[in-house]
Amino acid sequence: MTEPRVVKQPGRIVAGIQIRTSNELEMRSDDARIPRLWQSFESEKLNEVIPDKAAGSPVYGVYTEYSNGAEGEYSVLAGVEVTDEANVPEDYVTAVLNAGDYLAFEGQGQLDKIVPETWARVWAYFESAEAPRRVFETDYEVYESTDKVTLYVGIR
């Protein structure tokens, strides 16, 4: 497991479907909304049908609209990068991935296991007094292959 690294990321626009949830809800399997979001994304083959998809775009999981940092509600969007927000139909939601500094956490393995494990590494990392401050504006997952994900966590 590699240590997180600071990376400067460009801004992007991602379009897809979105839910509102909280860590409290996600800890209860009956109430967890994120797995259902991804099931809808996959079953509707949105990776293939979202209009104006940027060439070579991976799948993104975008976390925005934090109401109270890690303690409150937040929005999660499953989608792909698009080249022009104006070309995205009203059926889909868009999110802007802010340009700036992020800590990148890599995970490799079976995605349904490695994504939660990688987020657990994120939470543990930010408990340290030496960790940079999170901005809680835009965090996102990039699904680079069927067994590799990178989480980008916005920092100050």
Side-chain angles (χ1 to χ4, degrees), residues 55-117:
S57 173
V59 172
Y60 289 84
V62 182
Y63 296 74
T64 59
E65 302 173 335
Y66 290 94
S67 68
N68 186 25
E71 305 302 317
E73 291 187 341
Y74 51 90
S75 297
V76 183
L77 181 145
V80 295
E81 182 180 357
V82 294
T83 58
D84 187 351
E85 189 174 12
N87 294 334
V88 176
E90 290 181 13
D91 305 6
Y92 303 107
V93 177
T94 59
V96 174
L97 305 185
N98 297 328
D101 289 338
Y102 289 81
L103 264 181
F105 294 78
E106 296 177 349
Q108 189 149 12
Q110 189 175 332
L111 290 177
D112 64 339
K113 291 184 174 49
I114 199 66
V115 173
E117 288 173 11

Side-chain angles (χ1 to χ4, degrees), residues 10 25 31 33 37 41 45 58 68 72 83 97 108-109 112 119 121 124 136 139 145-146:
L25 281 173
D31 297 326
R33 297 175 180 169
L37 171 74
F41 184 85
K45 298 187 183 332
N68 186 25
T83 58
L97 305 185
Q108 189 149 12
D112 64 339
W119 273 111
R121 285 178 40 220
F136 287 104
D139 301 317
S145 69
T146 57

